[in-house]
Amino acid sequence: MKYIDEFNDPDLARRLLDEIHATVTRPWALMEVCGGQTHSIIRHGVDQLLPEQVELIHGPGCPVCVTPLDVIDKALEIAARPEVIFCSFGDMLRVPGTDRDLFRVKGEGGDVRVVYSPLDALDLARKNPDRQVVFFAIGFETTAPANAMAVHQARRLGLGNFTLLVSHVRVPPAIEAIMRAPQCRVQAFLAAGHVCSVMGTAEYPELADRHRVPVVVTGFEPLDILEGIRRAVRQLERGEHRVENAYPRAVREQGNPAALSMLEEVFEVTDRNWRGIGPIPASGWRLSETYRDYDAEHRFDVTGIRTEEPAVCRAGEVLQGLIKPTECEAFGRACTPRTPLGATMVSSEGACAAYYLYRRMTDGPAPRGSRIPREELNTVG
C-alpha cells in the first residue's frame, strides 16, 4: 500500500536503529505527543529495540483520554434527554463518566448514534427538524476544522436544531505545561505530524528555544518514528534544540491555510481542563460569540456539573508521562477494557489500552523501557 509499506521496511528500520545505537552515549528521555504514535511504538516494539539509554515517555496525545470527566457527564446528561439525537465517534461510547457511559445511556433508551463525520450529524439535523441533534466535538487540532465546518454549514443553512458539545484542545500549551511541571523529565518531543499538517510548525520554535528542547515533527509508521527518534537523539547529543520536520510528505511550515481560516472564524482560544492533568491556560477552543447559539452546553444548561475522578485510577500520571501504565496498581486487575476506570484503558489511542493489548502477557511490574531516573538524565541544550 502506497505510503504504508515503504514505511514498514525492516531493512531500513535496522539501518535507522544502527544509527541511533551508534549516536547515543548518554541517557535521554523523549516524549511522543500523540496517542497514535504511542500505539505504533508499543504495537511494533519500537521502544524495545532502542538503546537502554533512550526512554520513550508517552504524552497526553489521546483526545478521548484528555476529555475531562465533567464534559463526559454533560454528554451523558444531554444524551439522555428524549428530544435529543446525540452523535459521537465510536471511541467515546465506552469512556466512563462518573457513574455510566454513553453505551449505558443508549441501553436505557437514549438516542445515541455513532457517526463517521460531523457532517453526518448535520445531515441528521436536516432530516429530523423536530429533534435536537448534538455532535460531541472533541479532539486536537486535527478534528477541529471539520467540526468548525459543520457548524459553519449549520449556520449557513439556518439549521436551528444542530449544536456542538465542544471540548477541543491544543497541543502547544500542553507541551508548555509539561515542561513547566517540577517533575518533568522530558528532554525532547516527537510532535504529532497530523496536528502540524493543519497548524504548521510556527508555534514550536519559541517552545524549543524557551525550554531548550528539540522538537521533531514525526509521522506514525515505524520508520517515521525511528527517524524522529534518530533526529531528536542527534540533536540532544550535539547540544542542539530546534524544530525539525521529519514528516515532509504531509507537513508544511504554514500548515493548511483553509483549515486555519475556518478555525479562526468559528472558534476562539480558551482555558481548558484536561482529564487527569487539570486546567491549562489557553489550551482549548470554544465556539466564538458569532456561533454561541450552536453551543450545546448553553442550549441545554449543563454548565454546573462538578465531578471527581476515582482515587485508584492513575491515568493522570500516565498522561503526564510520570508512570508507565503497568505501574498502576489497577492495570489489568480492577481496570480492564471491560471494566475501565479511566479513558486511557478504552480509547483506541490510550496508552493503557496499548499496553493491555500488546504487552500485558509479557511485561511485569517493571517492564523493559521503564523510567530512567531523573537524576541520571543529562542536561539538554
Side-chain angles (χ1 to χ4, degrees), residues 68-228:
L69 186 57
D70 65 296
V71 175
I72 302 295
D73 281 358
K74 290 171 184 174
L76 298 172
E77 181 173 323
I78 293 171
R81 299 192 181 196
E83 74 274 22
V84 168
I85 299 174
F86 192 88
C87 301
S88 171
F89 295 136
D91 53 1
M92 290 302 296
L93 267 62
R94 297 203 60 238
V95 176
T98 296
D99 57 7
R100 54 183 175 165
D101 57 26
L102 284 169
F103 260 132
R104 175 70 65 86
V105 172
K106 186 176 177 65
E108 293 170 350
D111 194 348
V112 178
R113 305 190 190 187
V114 173
V115 295
Y116 296 98
S117 161
L119 296 179
D120 292 342
L122 193 69
D123 190 48
L124 281 170
R126 296 174 65 178
K127 293 175 178 174
N128 296 274
D130 57 334
R131 305 284 301 280
Q132 291 290 323
V133 176
V134 181
F135 179 72
F136 202 177
I138 71 148
F140 289 93
E141 294 93 330
T142 47
T143 55
N147 295 337
M149 173 59 78
V151 76
H152 171 86
Q153 284 287 86
R155 186 168 182 261
R156 188 179 70 81
L157 297 171
L159 290 176
N161 65 328
F162 178 79
T163 52
L164 299 182
L165 179 59
V166 179
S167 187
H168 280 302
V169 286
R170 303 171 58 239
V171 169
I175 290 179
E176 179 73 34
I178 288 166
M179 291 308 300
R180 287 183 180 277
Q183 67 273 36
C184 176
R185 296 184 301 118
V186 179
Q187 296 171 298
F189 286 93
L190 303 180
H194 51 4
V195 168
C196 294
S197 71
V198 175
M199 303 302 293
T201 58
E203 293 182 274
Y204 292 105
E206 188 178 334
L207 275 172
D209 279 343
R210 183 161 56 249
H211 297 290
R212 304 178 69 80
V213 291
V215 177
V216 181
V217 180
T218 310
F220 305 89
E221 297 301 322
L223 293 190
D224 289 319
I225 293 168
L226 286 172
E227 174 63 3

